[in-house]
Amino acid sequence: MGIYQEEMIIPVKNSYTYEDYARLPEGTPFQLIGGKLIMTPAPGTYHQIILMRLIEKLLFFLAGKDLGILFTAPVDVFLEEKETYQPDIIFIAKDRMHIIETTKIKGAPDLVIEILSPSTGYYDLKKKARVYARCGVKEYWIVDPEDKSIEVFQQKEGNFVLVHHVEETGQAKSILLKGFAVEVKEIFAPLQ
């Protein structure tokens, strides 16, 4: 048994590499985490609403500034041979655009934002966070719809240090994008 791919089956293995992952059909709902192909189902509607609100704020902040480029999932971020993720939101600074390839981002983005969901929360909080820090992501946001909270972490010496924790009210502020902040209440507001 294996994973079907256009008249070909990728054999079941104990550990997969980027080469195996790259054979999957475009749009296949997997991430390569610790050498395992982890299925990540489509996010729910509330997750998408939160994502769009954050993107809207980021686009407004970045408009007219030549700071870098913003991507949203699904886009592959290759970090190591057994680690290729699809973060919800990534920002790559202008001076690091060389890591953008035709099929993937090859290297650590400057800013990664992950919105927790039941199927991916464990990986976002534990495994992926450790790899992001080790590989050089400078700033990592964990957005938790359940707690209506945003945590902002800064990378220091290969580990993340919590800089801001805002729950229900207050502002989450970026360290990397000076002047960028979001009102947590607005991000998690119910639909009217």
Side-chain angles (χ1 to χ4, degrees), residues 30-114:
F30 286 92
Q31 294 185 68
L32 181 63
I33 302 173
K36 306 276 185 226
L37 290 173
I38 305 297
M39 182 181 267
T40 52
T45 54
Y46 189 48
H47 181 284
Q48 291 295 89
I49 290 165
I50 291 166
L51 175 71
M52 294 312 297
R53 288 174 178 164
L54 287 165
I55 290 294
E56 178 183 48
K57 303 270 185 205
L58 280 160
L59 287 172
F60 183 78
F61 175 79
L62 293 170
K65 299 178 177 101
D66 193 18
L67 299 177
I69 191 165
L70 199 61
F71 289 92
T72 63
V75 64
D76 290 336
V77 176
F78 173 92
L79 297 164
E80 296 175 346
E81 193 55 38
K82 295 184 179 184
E83 310 291 344
T84 298
Y85 308 154
Q86 294 183 355
D88 289 306
I89 301 171
I90 64 174
F91 172 79
I92 299 169
K94 182 181 176 182
D95 63 339
R96 299 195 58 251
M97 301 277 239
H98 63 275
I99 69 171
I100 301 168
E101 296 184 352
T102 306
T103 58
K104 65 185 176 292
I105 309 296
K106 190 172 182 181
D110 295 282
L111 167 67
V112 170
I113 300 176
E114 293 278 18

Side-chain angles (χ1 to χ4, degrees), residues 46 144-150 166-169 184 188-190:
Y46 189 48
D144 188 343
E146 187 78 22
D147 291 345
K148 295 182 174 35
S149 69
I150 298 177
V166 185
E167 195 167 319
E168 295 194 20
T169 61
V184 172
F188 298 110

